[in-house]
Amino acid sequence: KNRRRDMGLTAGAFCDHVIITEDDPAGEPLADICAEIAENVAKTGTPYDIVYRRDLAIQRAFSLLEEGGVLLLCGKGAETSQKRKNGSEPYEGDEFFAREQIELYDKNKITVSL
């Protein structure tokens, strides 16, 4: 909770576009968390999207990536669970979903690497 302001302001200051998504919401409403971060991104004037499902957020991020661009996935890293209201639930991991998107890029003759 204490990092949301700084995360939003920093992402907005250094990124061309920000995707806000789930990262261990526990018992707090995900929409409230995302709105708080978005409020701070908005202060920077940087465009952003809120995509509640993390796998779809990664897909959206890749859809915005242009040749020579950099995509930074923050938060989960190698973690394979999401902390939600009723406890931990399995999550494939950011790497899994990033690799899916890379395979799609490679099929289209675009080279992307982790």
Side-chain angles (χ1 to χ4, degrees):
K1 218 172 187 176
N2 60 349
R3 298 183 312 205
R4 294 177 192 166
R5 177 184 171 277
D6 292 341
M7 284 191 304
L9 291 173
T10 302
F14 293 102
C15 297
D16 295 327
H17 196 103
V18 177
I19 310 292
I20 302 164
T21 192
E22 176 180 35
D23 185 7
D24 296 331
E28 192 174 351
L30 179 57
D32 292 353
I33 297 168
C34 291
E36 189 175 339
I37 296 168
E39 180 181 308
N40 290 292
V41 173
K43 291 175 184 176
T44 69
T46 298
Y48 67 89
D49 293 319
I50 296 174
V51 182
Y52 296 122
R53 276 186 40 194
R54 194 168 181 91
D55 61 328
L56 297 179
I58 292 170
Q59 183 179 14
R60 172 72 177 137
F62 270 88
S63 77
L64 296 171
L65 190 60
E66 296 179 4
E67 186 172 344
V70 175
L71 173 62
L72 179 63
L73 297 175
C74 300
K76 298 303 291 172
E79 292 179 43
T80 57
S81 66
Q82 282 280 11
K83 294 176 185 128
R84 297 195 175 112
K85 185 178 182 179
N86 297 320
S88 286
E89 295 180 15
Y91 169 70
E92 294 285 348
D94 288 354
E95 182 179 350
F96 173 83
F97 294 111
R99 286 190 185 281
E100 272 189 343
Q101 294 303 307
I102 290 168
E103 287 177 22
L104 290 173
Y105 269 70
D106 287 345
K107 285 181 185 176
N108 292 314
K109 306 280 191 251
I110 299 171
T111 304
V112 179
S113 60
L114 287 176

